[in-house]
Amino acid sequence: MQSACVEAINRFLETDGAPGIAVCCRLADYLALPVRLRLTGAICLQPLTGGQIVDFLARAGTPLAGLRTTVQGDPLLLELAHSPLLLSVL
């Protein structure tokens, strides 16, 4: 199913073209496919580091001081905070 999707995207790009396109997937899933997207570039997002999480919460200042303390003391919340989206939600 995923290979068929990649092939359909490639056909679309060949016939219609696209000024910009974004395709999101898990890296391991993509690398397991027998076919590749024919794009001019790719970006691989990495999880935030612990330092980046601490810096983000520190820059928020006093309003998020309680969250900063809670995240540092809760391994599950710290794991969730490695995702930029989930850190923003927290």
Side-chain angles (χ1 to χ4, degrees):
M1 181 71 175
Q2 292 169 326
S3 293
C5 185
V6 169
E7 291 169 358
I9 292 170
N10 284 336
R11 277 192 308 277
F12 172 77
L13 292 171
E14 288 172 9
T15 58
D16 298 332
I21 187 169
V23 179
C24 302
C25 71
R26 291 187 268 308
L27 181 60
D29 293 343
Y30 179 72
L31 293 176
L33 295 173
V35 63
R36 297 284 176 258
L37 289 166
R38 290 189 290 271
L39 300 172
T40 58
I43 296 172
C44 183
L45 298 179
Q46 300 293 319
L48 296 172
T49 65
Q52 289 171 316
I53 295 167
V54 169
D55 288 345
F56 176 83
L57 294 172
R59 278 185 276 121
T62 305
L64 294 185
L67 177 61
R68 185 172 58 247
T69 301
T70 303
V71 165
Q72 289 174 336
D74 186 326
L76 179 58
L77 282 179
L78 182 57
E79 182 180 333
L80 292 173
H82 281 82
S83 162
L85 173 64
L86 293 177
L87 179 58
S88 295
V89 169
L90 288 172

